[in-house]
Every structure is written in C-alpha cells, then in structure tokens.
Amino acid sequence: MLFLSQFTGKFEQEHFDAIWYLLNNQSLEAENYFQYNFVFEGDEQIVDYLGKFETLQNDFDEICKRISIPHQQLPHENRTQHPDYRDLYCSETKDLVQSKFRKDIELLGYSF
C-alpha cells in the first residue's frame, strides 16, 4: 500500500484512523495497490517462491537453500515493541481493509 509509506515511527490509533480515511477517499483502482498483481496471473502464482516479511529469516533461509548459497543471519536493526497491527484496527477500519484488499488477503494467506 503506497500510502502507508507516509507514516513513520510508532504506529498509533491515529495512524489507523488516517488509513481508514485514505481507503474511503482514495481510488484503489490502480494495479500497483494490490500485491497479488506482482505474484499472480489470475489464480496462478508466477513466482518460484513467495517470502513474507513476517517470516523473513525463515524465508531467506529457504531462498539460500534453493539457490545453493550459504545460510546467512539477517540483521535486525531498529527493532521496536508495538502491539499486533490487528489490535489497532477498529471494527469499521478492519471491515474496510478486508473488503478493499480481500483478494490480497485470500491469495497471500493473510487473516485478521
């Protein structure tokens, strides 16, 4: 989601309120808003492997194995403590995100 890049630092409830506003007031018809367009054609996955930030080290380990390079530990800098993002959505924002990004959520295996 391109508009998320404008938020830096600690996520607070007001950030999610701003996301709700943007989702309601910004056209999401452009193809680059939806992640599935980068990894699927129709329902067919067009990449060899799909790693996720949430499991970055494990997925990187798998990629190293697949391309036959030595395992490397990725650094984790600027670590922060924050609540699970799902806890910051109000029910209205959660419903809006689930509606607008339903295909991303389903095809990429995410859930609320």
Side-chain angles (χ1 to χ4, degrees):
M1 292 183 237
L2 298 178
F3 51 77
L4 291 179
S5 64
Q6 66 184 302
F7 302 114
T8 59
K10 185 177 176 186
F11 274 105
E12 304 265 347
Q13 185 62 48
E14 64 265 18
H15 295 125
F16 283 82
D17 293 341
I19 292 168
W20 178 87
Y21 174 82
L22 287 168
L23 286 173
N24 267 318
N25 295 290
Q26 185 173 358
S27 171
L28 295 179
E29 301 306 315
E31 290 295 303
N32 60 348
Y33 279 105
F34 303 104
Q35 296 301 304
Y36 67 83
N37 287 313
F38 296 100
V39 294
F40 288 92
E41 281 185 6
D43 289 336
E44 181 182 346
Q45 187 171 318
I46 58 171
V47 296
D48 293 337
Y49 184 78
L50 181 60
K52 295 181 179 178
F53 185 78
E54 298 85 356
T55 54
L56 184 60
Q57 184 63 58
N58 289 338
D59 293 339
F60 184 73
D61 293 345
E62 177 62 26
I63 292 167
C64 289
K65 184 173 124 183
R66 287 177 180 226
I67 62 173
S68 301
I69 64 171
H71 164 82
Q72 301 172 41
Q73 187 67 34
L74 296 172
H76 191 155
E77 297 180 14
N78 300 319
R79 185 178 298 247
T80 61
Q81 294 288 326
H82 52 81
D84 187 299
Y85 70 92
R86 291 171 282 218
D87 295 336
L88 297 175
Y89 284 96
C90 68
S91 61
E92 189 174 9
T93 304
K94 181 179 173 181
D95 291 344
L96 185 61
V97 170
Q98 284 181 312
S99 172
K100 297 268 186 179
F101 295 95
R102 179 172 309 284
K103 194 168 182 180
D104 271 353
I105 292 167
E106 291 172 359
L107 289 174
L108 300 175
Y110 288 102
S111 65
F112 270 97

